[in-house]
Amino acid sequence: MPSPRYWRETPQRYRLEAAKCKQCGKISFPPRLVCLGCGNKDFDTVKLSDKGKIVTFTTICVAPTQFTEEAPYSIAIVELSDGVRFTTQVVDCTPEDLEIGKPVKIVFRKIQEEDKTGIICYGYKAVLT
Amino acid sequence: MIGIVGYGSYLPRYRIKVEDIAHQWGKDPETIKRGLLLKEKTVPGIDEDTITISVEAARNALKRAGIDPREIGAVYVGSESHPYAVKPSGTVVAEALGIVPDVHIADYEFACKAGTEAMFVSYSLVKADLMKYAMGIGSDTSQGAPGDALEFSASAGGSAFIFGKENVVAEVLETYSYATDTPDFWRREGAFYPLHGGRFTGQPAYFKHIIGAGQAILEKSGFKPSEFAYAIFHMPNGKFPLTVGKKLGFKKEQLEPGWIVPLMGNTYSGSSPTGFSATLDVSKPGELILLVSFGSGAGSDAFIFKVTERINEVRDRAEKVKDMLENNRIYLDYGQYAKFRGKIIMAE
């Protein structure tokens, strides 16, 4: 991931900051410039809950280059307690441990390294609770 | 009253047993276990490092403190495994906690006592009235060369402490620091693993400094060992802190809650701070706690804390160290451990 893009996304990746529409209340994560619900452009910044559950998941066995050491690993769509859904890796478990509906907690982890001399990108992942 | 307003720890879920490391290098596990009093150690996940451990420990400290992170005026991370040689760990930690931009940030290094250095400076800044709150963190993903005695102990984990003047959980009654130039353990710039002076790391380094600091703070404060409910001494292995406790006049029961090294290993900068965190988890109002760190190079920082009534209010707001140590463990074999710790040379 190029450094400037990674840097621009740190509020959402580090602190789960989302955009809540001032008009219709819809929460966008990642934040958007225009609300998908009503087209409004005014938002409040809100911090999402760090608790949720697995909506669905899959296992990656043939991983992209920068993730080969982690394979096989699980990717899930997680729904947080405030209703927001996003895709994230579920770690500290085997693919067999996952089930739809299982509760998860969002944690702070290393996502990838540009290479051994590049920047380290951090962000959110989920763990089973 | 100046002291800790919030504390928290984090330990990775992965473990490797002494037997698996001993088997790899043709050593007798029972001799190691008996000699070092170690059973297993924590191992960082493939996506964990000093920064992620610091963030999780600090989040637990914030839960217990119940304060607005933006009121924290300083974030100091002590470690000997900062992921970057140039670029602070503390900036990522402060950004993740929502403390930036009105904050002073620095990374500390002093082998295994970098964590208590961060605590000492945080406490001092609050005492000097320069800020309302300051956070000191001790965290490491410790390195130990394959086949070296250190490999049995070098582990991962950390603890964070927020110092302030209001709603104090543990008041700082006294501090003392003791340091000399002693080449007992080092890692040169660019070297992957640290080196050490073998037996030289004992008497002239660890014991001299930690006992020196311990005796001096007892003298300065006027307290006797019997007046303390608990004491924590840096834990490079299981045996050393017990020997120090005995020499200073403490009973094993006083050391027990903080003597977490048999299951945790030596988390370097996170070692004595996490032992202290585990002790706070079981402490009662009014109890006195002595904490003495040790960092090779060499030096010791000593603190005397008095626990307040507020401990009963905040203790259960975050996961306790004992629960992290004993629950949800995932055991690795040596091959998996070598992969997790980057000890395998991969194709370019």
Side-chain angles (χ1 to χ4, degrees), chain B residues 56-343:
Chain B
E56 293 297 333
R59 282 178 175 170
N60 283 334
L62 278 168
K63 280 182 198 165
R64 287 201 172 101
I67 60 169
D68 181 345
R70 288 170 298 184
E71 290 189 300
I72 296 174
V75 174
Y76 299 131
V77 181
S79 180
E80 59 176 273
S81 50
H82 292 291
Y84 288 99
V86 178
K87 187 187 179 310
S89 300
T91 53
V92 184
V93 175
E95 186 81 49
L97 300 174
I99 298 174
V100 293
D102 303 311
V103 60
H104 185 254
I105 296 171
D107 286 359
Y108 287 85
E109 283 190 19
F110 195 141
C112 296
K113 88 170 183 81
T116 55
E117 281 183 320
M119 291 168 67
F120 177 74
V121 178
S122 299
Y123 158 70
S124 303
L125 288 169
V126 172
K127 190 177 181 186
D129 258 335
L130 290 174
M131 52 191 64
K132 190 173 180 185
Y133 301 111
M135 182 187 280
I137 302 171
S139 168
D140 252 308
T141 54
S142 316
Q143 306 97 335
D148 188 89
L150 276 180
E151 197 179 25
F152 291 101
S153 59
S155 63
S159 294
F161 300 89
I162 302 168
F163 288 83
K165 287 186 175 174
E166 293 165 13
N167 296 321
V168 168
V169 172
E171 181 186 5
V172 178
L173 297 185
E174 197 64 81
T175 66
Y176 187 84
S177 289
Y178 182 102
T180 69
D181 178 25
T182 308
D184 59 317
F185 171 102
W186 61 92
R187 181 164 64 84
R188 294 283 301 272
E189 184 69 44
F192 194 70
Y193 296 115
L195 296 175
H196 55 83
R199 288 183 182 275
F200 185 68
T201 60
Q203 208 54 51
Y206 178 86
F207 290 107
K208 175 185 166 181
H209 294 81
I210 209 160
I211 290 172
Q215 282 173 337
I217 199 168
L218 288 174
E219 201 175 303
K220 193 178 169 194
S221 66
F223 288 119
K224 296 182 190 70
S226 58
E227 292 178 80
F228 290 86
Y230 307 108
I232 303 99
F233 305 107
H234 173 58
M235 296 168 273
N237 54 53
K239 213 167 215 176
F240 277 22
L242 297 183
T243 306
V244 165
K246 204 172 175 184
K247 282 189 176 173
L248 286 175
F250 289 88
K251 292 179 180 160
K252 199 183 172 193
E253 302 83 73
Q254 290 167 288
L255 272 55
E256 214 108 63
W259 189 65
I260 52 179
V261 60
L263 290 182
M264 182 179 76
N266 177 9
T267 49
Y268 288 17
S269 305
S271 171
S272 54
T274 306
F276 174 48
S277 177
T279 304
L280 284 174
D281 284 343
V282 300
S283 63
K284 296 183 195 72
E287 288 181 332
L288 292 178
I289 302 174
L290 172 66
L291 164 65
V292 191
S293 66
F294 170 74
S296 291
S300 284
D301 295 322
F303 300 78
I304 293 174
F305 295 96
K306 186 176 186 183
V307 181
T308 74
E309 291 286 339
R310 192 169 159 77
I311 191 72
N312 294 330
E313 203 180 313
V314 309
R315 187 186 284 119
D316 294 330
R317 289 184 186 171
E319 194 175 2
K320 298 185 185 77
V321 173
K322 192 170 189 288
D323 294 333
M324 292 183 207
L325 271 177
E326 296 178 358
N327 301 338
N328 301 318
R329 287 174 278 192
I330 304 172
Y331 287 96
L332 305 173
D333 59 30
Y334 193 87
Q336 291 169 311
Y337 163 74
K339 177 181 154 186
F340 272 47
R341 298 302 290 128
K343 292 172 190 257

